[in-house]
Amino acid sequence: MSTVIDKAVEALAKRLPDGFSPVAKFVIEGEGSIIADAQGVRAGDGPAEVTLSADLDTFRGLFEGRVNPTVAFMQGRLKVDGPMMLAMKLGSALS
């Protein structure tokens, strides 16, 4: 497991202290993926109801609060696979 993913899990866990229901996946291009569900946030891969994909810089900005999720999506820097309502729920948690 990469230190990038470890740090991303730590940052995301702070943003989602109670986890996320249903299951969400964050794919950091070239690094790996993170799962957030009712049990919490952890490194891993698997099926999810909504998947957010972006490069490392975009996710770093999201997790640090410097990048607005809606703006990143509109600019094509953040891709969503799954229901937009779940992505918006995640976006609210990250903002």
Side-chain angles (χ1 to χ4, degrees):
M1 185 171 329
S2 78
T3 58
V4 169
I5 293 295
D6 290 339
K7 289 180 181 180
V9 166
E10 184 179 323
L12 186 57
K14 288 178 184 174
R15 295 279 187 164
L16 298 170
D18 298 323
F20 184 79
S21 183
V23 180
K25 180 168 40 174
F26 298 82
V27 178
I28 303 174
E29 297 166 359
E31 297 294 336
S33 60
I34 299 167
I35 297 289
D37 60 18
Q39 284 74 47
V41 178
R42 64 191 173 284
D45 197 2
E49 281 82 3
V50 63
T51 301
L52 303 181
S53 304
D55 63 22
L56 177 59
D57 289 335
T58 300
F59 271 119
R60 185 175 286 138
L62 288 170
F63 297 156
E64 293 174 354
R66 294 181 291 107
V67 172
N68 180 295
T70 303
V71 172
F73 175 76
M74 297 302 275
Q75 292 175 337
R77 295 170 43 202
L78 179 65
K79 296 167 190 69
V80 174
D81 182 21
M84 190 55 65
M85 291 302 290
L86 290 179
M88 291 171 62
K89 186 176 172 184
L90 276 172
S92 295
L94 295 174
S95 294

Coordinates of all heavy atoms in Angstrom, one line a residue:
M1 N 0.8 -1.2 0.0 CA 0.0 0.0 0.0 C 0.9 1.2 0.0 O 1.9 1.3 0.7 CB -0.9 0.0 1.2 CG -1.9 1.1 1.3 SD -3.1 0.9 2.6 CE -3.3 -0.8 2.8
S2 N 0.5 2.3 -0.7 CA 1.3 3.4 -0.9 C 1.1 4.4 0.3 O 0.0 4.4 0.9 CB 1.0 4.1 -2.2 OG -0.2 4.9 -2.1
T3 N 2.1 5.2 0.5 CA 2.0 6.2 1.6 C 0.9 7.3 1.1 O 0.3 7.9 2.0 CB 3.3 6.9 1.9 OG1 3.8 7.5 0.7 CG2 4.3 5.9 2.5
V4 N 0.8 7.5 -0.2 CA -0.2 8.4 -0.7 C -1.6 8.0 -0.3 O -2.4 8.7 0.3 CB -0.1 8.5 -2.2 CG1 -1.3 9.3 -2.8 CG2 1.2 9.2 -2.6
I5 N -1.9 6.7 -0.4 CA -3.2 6.2 -0.1 C -3.4 6.2 1.4 O -4.4 6.6 1.9 CB -3.4 4.7 -0.6 CG1 -3.5 4.7 -2.1 CG2 -4.6 4.1 0.0 CD1 -4.7 5.4 -2.7
D6 N -2.3 5.9 2.2 CA -2.4 6.0 3.7 C -2.8 7.4 4.1 O -3.6 7.6 5.0 CB -1.1 5.5 4.3 CG -0.8 4.1 4.2 OD1 -1.7 3.3 3.9 OD2 0.4 3.7 4.3
K7 N -2.1 8.4 3.5 CA -2.4 9.8 3.9 C -3.8 10.2 3.5 O -4.5 10.9 4.2 CB -1.3 10.7 3.3 CG 0.0 10.5 4.0 CD 1.0 11.5 3.4 CE 2.4 11.3 4.1 NZ 3.4 12.2 3.5
A8 N -4.2 9.7 2.3 CA -5.5 10.0 1.8 C -6.6 9.4 2.7 O -7.6 10.1 3.0 CB -5.7 9.6 0.4
V9 N -6.4 8.2 3.1 CA -7.3 7.6 4.1 C -7.5 8.4 5.3 O -8.6 8.7 5.8 CB -6.9 6.1 4.4 CG1 -7.7 5.5 5.6 CG2 -7.1 5.2 3.2
E10 N -6.3 8.8 5.9 CA -6.3 9.6 7.1 C -7.1 10.9 6.9 O -7.9 11.3 7.7 CB -4.9 9.9 7.5 CG -4.7 10.6 8.8 CD -3.3 10.9 9.1 OE1 -2.4 10.0 8.9 OE2 -3.0 12.0 9.7
A11 N -6.8 11.6 5.8 CA -7.5 12.9 5.5 C -9.0 12.7 5.3 O -9.8 13.5 5.8 CB -6.8 13.5 4.3
L12 N -9.4 11.7 4.6 CA -10.8 11.4 4.3 C -11.5 11.0 5.5 O -12.7 11.4 5.7 CB -10.9 10.4 3.2 CG -12.3 10.1 2.7 CD1 -13.0 11.4 2.2 CD2 -12.3 9.1 1.6
A13 N -10.9 10.2 6.4 CA -11.5 9.8 7.6 C -11.8 11.0 8.5 O -12.8 11.0 9.2 CB -10.6 8.8 8.4
K14 N -11.0 12.0 8.4 CA -11.3 13.3 9.2 C -12.5 14.0 8.6 O -13.3 14.5 9.4 CB -10.1 14.2 9.2 CG -9.0 13.7 10.0 CD -7.8 14.7 9.9 CE -6.6 14.1 10.7 NZ -5.4 15.0 10.5
R15 N -12.7 13.9 7.3 CA -13.9 14.5 6.7 C -15.1 13.7 6.8 O -16.2 14.2 6.8 CB -13.6 14.7 5.2 CG -12.5 15.7 4.9 CD -13.0 17.0 5.0 NE -12.1 18.0 4.5 CZ -12.4 19.2 4.2 NH1 -13.7 19.6 4.3 NH2 -11.5 20.1 3.9
L16 N -15.0 12.4 6.9 CA -16.1 11.5 7.1 C -15.9 10.6 8.4 O -15.8 9.4 8.3 CB -16.2 10.5 5.9 CG -16.4 11.2 4.5 CD1 -16.2 10.1 3.4 CD2 -17.8 11.8 4.4
P17 N -16.0 11.3 9.5 CA -15.7 10.6 10.8 C -16.7 9.4 11.1 O -16.3 8.5 11.8 CB -15.8 11.6 11.9 CG -16.6 12.7 11.2 CD -16.4 12.7 9.8
D18 N -17.9 9.5 10.5 CA -18.9 8.4 10.8 C -19.0 7.5 9.6 O -20.0 6.7 9.4 CB -20.2 9.0 11.1 CG -20.2 9.9 12.3 OD1 -19.5 9.5 13.3 OD2 -20.9 10.9 12.4
G19 N -18.0 7.5 8.7 CA -18.1 6.7 7.4 C -19.1 7.3 6.5 O -19.4 8.5 6.5
F20 N -19.6 6.5 5.6 CA -20.5 7.0 4.6 C -21.4 5.8 4.2 O -20.9 4.7 4.0 CB -19.8 7.4 3.3 CG -20.6 8.0 2.3 CD1 -21.1 9.3 2.4 CD2 -21.0 7.3 1.2 CE1 -21.9 9.9 1.4 CE2 -21.8 7.8 0.2 CZ -22.3 9.1 0.3
S21 N -22.7 6.1 4.2 CA -23.6 5.0 3.8 C -24.5 5.6 2.7 O -25.0 6.7 2.8 CB -24.5 4.6 5.0 OG -25.4 3.6 4.6
P22 N -24.5 4.9 1.5 CA -24.0 3.6 1.2 C -22.5 3.6 0.9 O -21.8 4.5 1.4 CB -24.8 3.3 -0.1 CG -25.1 4.6 -0.7 CD -25.3 5.6 0.5
V23 N -22.1 2.7 0.1 CA -20.6 2.5 -0.2 C -20.2 3.5 -1.3 O -20.8 3.6 -2.3 CB -20.3 1.1 -0.6 CG1 -18.8 0.9 -0.8 CG2 -20.8 0.1 0.5
A24 N -19.0 4.2 -1.0 CA -18.4 5.1 -1.9 C -17.0 4.6 -2.2 O -16.3 4.1 -1.2 CB -18.5 6.5 -1.4
K25 N -16.5 4.8 -3.4 CA -15.1 4.5 -3.7 C -14.5 5.8 -4.3 O -15.1 6.5 -5.1 CB -15.0 3.4 -4.7 CG -13.6 3.0 -5.0 CD -13.4 1.7 -5.8 CE -14.4 1.4 -6.8 NZ -14.0 0.2 -7.6
F26 N -13.2 6.0 -3.8 CA -12.4 7.1 -4.3 C -11.2 6.5 -5.1 O -10.4 5.8 -4.4 CB -11.9 8.0 -3.2 CG -13.0 8.7 -2.4 CD1 -13.7 8.0 -1.4 CD2 -13.4 10.0 -2.7 CE1 -14.7 8.5 -0.7 CE2 -14.5 10.6 -2.0 CZ -15.1 9.8 -1.0
V27 N -11.1 6.8 -6.3 CA -10.0 6.2 -7.1 C -9.0 7.4 -7.4 O -9.4 8.3 -8.1 CB -10.5 5.6 -8.4 CG1 -9.3 5.1 -9.3 CG2 -11.5 4.5 -8.2
I28 N -7.8 7.2 -6.8 CA -6.8 8.2 -7.1 C -5.9 7.6 -8.2 O -5.2 6.6 -8.0 CB -6.0 8.5 -5.8 CG1 -6.9 8.9 -4.7 CG2 -4.9 9.5 -6.1 CD1 -6.2 9.1 -3.3
E29 N -6.0 8.3 -9.4 CA -5.3 7.8 -10.6 C -3.8 7.5 -10.3 O -3.1 8.4 -9.8 CB -5.5 8.7 -11.7 CG -7.0 8.8 -12.1 CD -7.3 10.0 -13.0 OE1 -6.4 10.8 -13.4 OE2 -8.5 10.2 -13.4
G30 N -3.4 6.3 -10.6 CA -2.0 6.0 -10.5 C -1.6 5.6 -9.1 O -0.4 5.2 -8.9
E31 N -2.5 5.6 -8.1 CA -2.1 5.3 -6.7 C -2.9 4.2 -6.1 O -2.4 3.3 -5.5 CB -2.3 6.6 -5.9 CG -1.4 7.8 -6.2 CD 0.0 7.5 -6.0 OE1 0.4 6.6 -5.1 OE2 0.8 8.1 -6.6
G32 N -4.2 4.2 -6.4 CA -5.1 3.1 -5.8 C -6.4 3.7 -5.4 O -6.8 4.7 -5.9
S33 N -7.1 3.0 -4.6 CA -8.5 3.4 -4.2 C -8.8 3.3 -2.7 O -8.1 2.6 -2.0 CB -9.5 2.6 -5.0 OG -9.4 1.2 -4.8
I34 N -9.8 4.0 -2.3 CA -10.3 4.1 -0.9 C -11.8 3.8 -0.9 O -12.5 4.2 -1.8 CB -10.0 5.5 -0.4 CG1 -8.5 5.8 -0.4 CG2 -10.6 5.6 1.0 CD1 -8.2 7.3 -0.2
I35 N -12.2 3.0 0.1 CA -13.6 2.7 0.3 C -14.1 3.4 1.5 O -13.4 3.4 2.5 CB -13.8 1.2 0.5 CG1 -13.4 0.4 -0.8 CG2 -15.2 0.9 0.9 CD1 -14.3 0.6 -2.0
A36 N -15.2 4.0 1.4 CA -15.9 4.7 2.5 C -17.3 4.0 2.6 O -18.0 4.0 1.7 CB -16.0 6.2 2.4
D37 N -17.6 3.4 3.8 CA -18.9 2.8 4.0 C -19.3 3.0 5.5 O -18.7 3.8 6.2 CB -18.9 1.4 3.6 CG -17.9 0.5 4.4 OD1 -17.4 0.9 5.5 OD2 -17.6 -0.6 3.9
A38 N -20.3 2.4 5.9 CA -20.8 2.5 7.3 C -19.8 2.1 8.3 O -19.9 2.6 9.5 CB -22.1 1.7 7.4
Q39 N -18.8 1.3 8.0 CA -17.8 0.9 8.9 C -16.7 1.9 9.0 O -15.8 1.7 9.9 CB -17.3 -0.5 8.6 CG -18.2 -1.7 8.9 CD -19.4 -1.8 8.0 OE1 -19.2 -1.7 6.8 NE2 -20.6 -1.9 8.5
G40 N -16.6 2.8 8.1 CA -15.5 3.8 8.1 C -14.8 4.0 6.8 O -15.4 3.7 5.7
V41 N -13.6 4.4 6.8 CA -12.8 4.7 5.6 C -11.5 3.8 5.7 O -10.9 3.8 6.7 CB -12.4 6.2 5.6 CG1 -11.6 6.5 4.4 CG2 -13.7 7.1 5.6
R42 N -11.2 3.2 4.5 CA -10.1 2.3 4.5 C -9.6 2.2 3.1 O -10.3 2.4 2.1 CB -10.4 1.0 5.1 CG -11.4 0.2 4.2 CD -11.9 -1.0 4.9 NE -13.0 -1.6 4.1 CZ -14.3 -1.2 4.1 NH1 -14.6 -0.1 4.7 NH2 -15.2 -1.8 3.4
A43 N -8.3 1.9 2.9 CA -7.8 1.6 1.6 C -8.4 0.3 1.1 O -8.7 -0.6 1.9 CB -6.2 1.4 1.7
G44 N -8.7 0.2 -0.2 CA -9.3 -1.0 -0.7 C -10.0 -0.8 -2.0 O -10.2 0.4 -2.4
D45 N -10.4 -1.8 -2.6 CA -11.2 -1.8 -3.8 C -12.4 -2.7 -3.7 O -12.3 -3.6 -2.9 CB -10.3 -2.2 -5.0 CG -10.8 -1.8 -6.3 OD1 -11.8 -1.1 -6.4 OD2 -10.1 -2.1 -7.4
G46 N -13.3 -2.5 -4.5 CA -14.5 -3.3 -4.5 C -15.7 -2.6 -5.1 O -15.6 -1.4 -5.4
P47 N -16.8 -3.2 -5.1 CA -18.0 -2.6 -5.6 C -18.5 -1.4 -4.7 O -18.3 -1.5 -3.5 CB -19.1 -3.7 -5.6 CG -18.6 -4.8 -4.8 CD -17.1 -4.6 -4.7
A48 N -19.0 -0.4 -5.4 CA -19.5 0.8 -4.7 C -20.7 1.3 -5.4 O -20.8 1.2 -6.6 CB -18.4 1.8 -4.5
E49 N -21.6 2.0 -4.7 CA -22.8 2.6 -5.3 C -22.3 3.9 -6.1 O -23.0 4.2 -7.1 CB -23.8 3.0 -4.3 CG -24.7 1.8 -3.8 CD -24.0 1.0 -2.8 OE1 -22.9 1.3 -2.3 OE2 -24.7 0.0 -2.4
V50 N -21.3 4.6 -5.6 CA -20.8 5.7 -6.3 C -19.3 5.7 -6.3 O -18.7 5.4 -5.2 CB -21.4 7.0 -5.7 CG1 -20.9 7.3 -4.3 CG2 -21.0 8.3 -6.6
T51 N -18.7 6.1 -7.4 CA -17.2 6.1 -7.5 C -16.8 7.5 -7.9 O -17.3 8.0 -8.9 CB -16.7 5.1 -8.4 OG1 -17.1 3.8 -8.0 CG2 -15.2 5.1 -8.5
L52 N -15.9 8.1 -7.2 CA -15.3 9.4 -7.6 C -13.8 9.1 -8.0 O -13.1 8.5 -7.3 CB -15.3 10.4 -6.5 CG -16.6 10.7 -5.8 CD1 -16.5 11.7 -4.7 CD2 -17.6 11.2 -6.9
S53 N -13.5 9.6 -9.2 CA -12.1 9.4 -9.7 C -11.5 10.7 -10.1 O -12.1 11.6 -10.7 CB -12.1 8.5 -11.0 OG -12.8 7.3 -10.8
A54 N -10.2 10.9 -9.7 CA -9.5 12.1 -10.0 C -8.0 11.8 -9.9 O -7.6 10.8 -9.3 CB -9.9 13.2 -9.1
D55 N -7.2 12.8 -10.3 CA -5.7 12.7 -10.1 C -5.4 13.1 -8.6 O -6.2 13.5 -7.9 CB -5.0 13.5 -11.1 CG -5.2 15.0 -11.0 OD1 -5.7 15.5 -9.9 OD2 -5.0 15.7 -12.0
L56 N -4.2 12.8 -8.3 CA -3.7 13.0 -6.9 C -3.9 14.5 -6.5 O -4.4 14.8 -5.4 CB -2.3 12.6 -6.7 CG -1.6 12.8 -5.4 CD1 -2.4 12.1 -4.3 CD2 -0.2 12.4 -5.4
D57 N -3.5 15.4 -7.3 CA -3.6 16.8 -6.9 C -5.0 17.3 -6.6 O -5.3 18.0 -5.7 CB -3.0 17.7 -8.0 CG -1.5 17.6 -8.1 OD1 -0.9 17.3 -7.1 OD2 -0.9 17.9 -9.2
T58 N -6.0 16.8 -7.5 CA -7.4 17.1 -7.2 C -7.9 16.6 -5.9 O -8.5 17.3 -5.1 CB -8.3 16.6 -8.4 OG1 -7.8 17.2 -9.6 CG2 -9.7 16.9 -8.2
F59 N -7.6 15.3 -5.6 CA -8.0 14.7 -4.4 C -7.3 15.4 -3.2 O -8.0 15.6 -2.2 CB -7.8 13.2 -4.3 CG -8.9 12.4 -4.9 CD1 -8.8 11.6 -6.0 CD2 -10.2 12.5 -4.3 CE1 -9.8 10.8 -6.5 CE2 -11.3 11.8 -4.8 CZ -11.1 10.9 -5.9
R60 N -6.1 15.7 -3.3 CA -5.4 16.4 -2.2 C -6.1 17.7 -1.9 O -6.4 18.0 -0.8 CB -3.9 16.6 -2.6 CG -3.1 17.2 -1.4 CD -1.6 17.3 -1.8 NE -1.0 16.0 -1.8 CZ -0.1 15.6 -2.7 NH1 0.2 16.4 -3.7 NH2 0.4 14.4 -2.6
G61 N -6.4 18.4 -3.0 CA -7.2 19.7 -2.8 C -8.5 19.5 -2.1 O -9.0 20.2 -1.3
L62 N -9.2 18.4 -2.5 CA -10.6 18.1 -2.0 C -10.4 17.8 -0.5 O -11.2 18.3 0.4 CB -11.2 16.9 -2.7 CG -11.7 17.1 -4.1 CD1 -12.1 15.8 -4.7 CD2 -12.9 18.0 -4.1
F63 N -9.5 16.9 -0.1 CA -9.3 16.5 1.2 C -8.8 17.6 2.1 O -9.1 17.6 3.3 CB -8.3 15.3 1.3 CG -8.8 14.0 0.6 CD1 -7.9 13.1 0.2 CD2 -10.2 13.8 0.4 CE1 -8.4 11.9 -0.5 CE2 -10.6 12.7 -0.3 CZ -9.7 11.7 -0.7
E64 N -8.1 18.6 1.6 CA -7.6 19.7 2.3 C -8.5 20.9 2.3 O -8.3 21.9 3.0 CB -6.2 20.1 1.8 CG -5.1 19.1 2.0 CD -3.8 19.4 1.3 OE1 -3.7 20.4 0.6 OE2 -2.8 18.7 1.5
G65 N -9.6 20.8 1.6 CA -10.6 21.8 1.5 C -10.3 23.0 0.6 O -10.9 24.0 0.6
R66 N -9.3 22.8 -0.2 CA -8.8 23.9 -1.2 C -9.6 23.8 -2.5 O -9.6 24.8 -3.3 CB -7.3 23.8 -1.4 CG -6.5 24.1 -0.3 CD -5.0 24.1 -0.6 NE -4.6 22.7 -0.9 CZ -4.3 22.2 -2.1 NH1 -4.4 23.0 -3.2 NH2 -3.9 20.9 -2.3
V67 N -10.1 22.6 -2.8 CA -10.8 22.4 -4.1 C -12.3 22.1 -3.8 O -12.6 21.3 -3.0 CB -10.2 21.2 -4.9 CG1 -11.0 20.9 -6.1 CG2 -8.7 21.6 -5.3
N68 N -13.1 22.9 -4.5 CA -14.6 22.6 -4.4 C -15.0 21.5 -5.3 O -14.6 21.5 -6.5 CB -15.3 23.9 -4.8 CG -16.8 23.8 -4.7 OD1 -17.4 23.0 -5.4 ND2 -17.4 24.6 -3.9
P69 N -15.6 20.5 -4.7 CA -16.0 19.3 -5.5 C -16.9 19.6 -6.7 O -16.7 19.0 -7.8 CB -16.8 18.4 -4.5 CG -16.5 18.9 -3.2 CD -16.1 20.3 -3.3
T70 N -17.8 20.5 -6.6 CA -18.7 20.8 -7.7 C -17.9 21.5 -8.8 O -18.0 21.2 -10.0 CB -19.8 21.8 -7.2 OG1 -20.5 21.1 -6.2 CG2 -20.7 22.1 -8.4
V71 N -17.0 22.4 -8.5 CA -16.1 23.1 -9.5 C -15.2 22.0 -10.2 O -15.1 22.0 -11.4 CB -15.3 24.2 -8.8 CG1 -14.3 24.8 -9.8 CG2 -16.2 25.3 -8.3
A72 N -14.6 21.1 -9.4 CA -13.8 20.1 -9.9 C -14.5 19.2 -10.9 O -14.0 18.9 -12.0 CB -13.1 19.3 -8.8
F73 N -15.8 18.9 -10.6 CA -16.6 18.1 -11.5 C -16.9 18.9 -12.8 O -16.8 18.3 -13.9 CB -17.9 17.7 -10.8 CG -18.8 16.9 -11.7 CD1 -18.6 15.6 -12.0 CD2 -20.0 17.6 -12.2 CE1 -19.5 14.9 -12.9 CE2 -20.8 16.9 -13.0 CZ -20.6 15.6 -13.4
M74 N -17.3 20.1 -12.6 CA -17.7 20.9 -13.8 C -16.5 21.1 -14.7 O -16.6 21.3 -15.9 CB -18.3 22.3 -13.3 CG -19.5 22.1 -12.6 SD -20.8 21.3 -13.5 CE -21.5 22.6 -14.4
Q75 N -15.3 21.2 -14.1 CA -14.0 21.4 -14.9 C -13.5 20.1 -15.5 O -12.5 20.0 -16.2 CB -12.9 22.0 -14.1 CG -13.2 23.4 -13.6 CD -12.2 23.9 -12.7 OE1 -11.5 23.2 -12.0 NE2 -12.1 25.2 -12.6
G76 N -14.2 18.9 -15.2 CA -13.8 17.6 -15.7 C -12.6 17.0 -14.9 O -12.1 16.0 -15.4
R77 N -12.2 17.6 -13.8 CA -11.1 17.1 -13.0 C -11.6 16.0 -12.1 O -10.7 15.2 -11.6 CB -10.5 18.2 -12.2 CG -9.9 19.3 -13.1 CD -9.4 20.5 -12.3 NE -8.8 20.3 -11.0 CZ -8.8 21.1 -10.0 NH1 -9.3 22.3 -10.1 NH2 -8.2 20.8 -8.9
L78 N -12.9 15.9 -11.8 CA -13.4 14.9 -10.9 C -14.5 14.2 -11.7 O -15.5 14.8 -12.2 CB -14.0 15.6 -9.7 CG -14.7 14.6 -8.7 CD1 -13.7 13.7 -8.0 CD2 -15.4 15.5 -7.6
K79 N -14.4 12.9 -11.8 CA -15.3 12.1 -12.6 C -16.2 11.3 -11.6 O -15.7 10.8 -10.6 CB -14.6 11.1 -13.5 CG -13.8 11.8 -14.6 CD -12.8 10.9 -15.3 CE -11.9 11.6 -16.2 NZ -10.9 12.5 -15.5
V80 N -17.5 11.1 -11.9 CA -18.4 10.5 -11.1 C -19.0 9.3 -11.9 O -19.5 9.4 -13.0 CB -19.6 11.4 -10.6 CG1 -20.6 10.7 -9.9 CG2 -19.0 12.6 -9.8
D81 N -19.1 8.1 -11.2 CA -19.7 6.9 -11.8 C -20.7 6.5 -10.7 O -20.4 6.1 -9.6 CB -18.7 5.8 -12.1 CG -19.4 4.6 -12.7 OD1 -20.5 4.7 -13.3 OD2 -18.8 3.5 -12.6
G82 N -22.0 6.7 -11.0 CA -23.1 6.3 -10.1 C -24.0 7.5 -10.0 O -23.9 8.5 -10.7
P83 N -25.0 7.3 -9.1 CA -26.0 8.4 -8.9 C -25.5 9.7 -8.5 O -24.7 9.8 -7.5 CB -26.9 7.8 -7.8 CG -26.6 6.4 -7.7 CD -25.2 6.2 -8.2
M84 N -25.9 10.8 -9.2 CA -25.4 12.1 -8.9 C -25.8 12.6 -7.5 O -25.0 13.3 -6.8 CB -25.9 13.1 -9.9 CG -25.2 14.5 -9.9 SD -23.4 14.5 -9.9 CE -23.1 13.9 -11.6
M85 N -26.9 12.1 -7.0 CA -27.3 12.5 -5.6 C -26.4 12.0 -4.6 O -26.1 12.7 -3.6 CB -28.8 11.9 -5.4 CG -29.8 12.6 -6.2 SD -29.9 14.4 -5.9 CE -30.5 14.4 -4.2
L86 N -25.8 10.8 -4.8 CA -24.8 10.3 -3.8 C -23.5 11.1 -3.9 O -22.9 11.4 -2.9 CB -24.6 8.8 -4.1 CG -25.7 7.8 -3.7 CD1 -25.3 6.4 -4.0 CD2 -26.0 8.0 -2.2
A87 N -23.2 11.4 -5.2 CA -22.0 12.2 -5.4 C -22.1 13.6 -4.7 O -21.2 14.1 -4.1 CB -21.7 12.4 -6.8
M88 N -23.3 14.2 -4.8 CA -23.6 15.4 -4.2 C -23.5 15.3 -2.6 O -23.0 16.2 -1.9 CB -24.9 16.0 -4.6 CG -24.9 16.4 -6.1 SD -26.5 16.8 -6.8 CE -26.9 18.2 -5.8
K89 N -24.0 14.2 -2.1 CA -23.9 14.0 -0.7 C -22.5 13.9 -0.2 O -22.1 14.5 0.8 CB -24.7 12.7 -0.3 CG -24.8 12.4 1.1 CD -25.6 11.1 1.3 CE -25.6 10.7 2.8 NZ -26.3 9.4 3.0
L90 N -21.6 13.2 -1.0 CA -20.2 13.2 -0.7 C -19.6 14.5 -0.8 O -18.7 14.9 0.0 CB -19.5 12.2 -1.6 CG -19.5 10.7 -1.3 CD1 -18.9 9.9 -2.4 CD2 -18.8 10.5 0.0
G91 N -20.0 15.3 -1.8 CA -19.4 16.6 -2.1 C -19.7 17.5 -0.9 O -18.9 18.3 -0.4
S92 N -20.9 17.4 -0.3 CA -21.3 18.2 0.9 C -20.4 17.8 2.0 O -19.9 18.7 2.8 CB -22.7 18.0 1.3 OG -23.6 18.4 0.3
A93 N -20.1 16.6 2.2 CA -19.2 16.1 3.3 C -17.8 16.6 3.1 O -17.1 16.9 4.1 CB -19.2 14.6 3.4
L94 N -17.3 16.7 1.9 CA -16.0 17.2 1.6 C -15.8 18.7 1.6 O -14.7 19.2 1.7 CB -15.5 16.6 0.2 CG -15.4 15.1 0.2 CD1 -15.1 14.7 -1.3 CD2 -14.3 14.6 1.1
S95 N -16.9 19.4 1.5 CA -16.8 20.9 1.4 C -16.6 21.5 2.8 O -17.0 21.0 3.8 CB -18.1 21.4 0.8 OG -18.2 21.1 -0.5

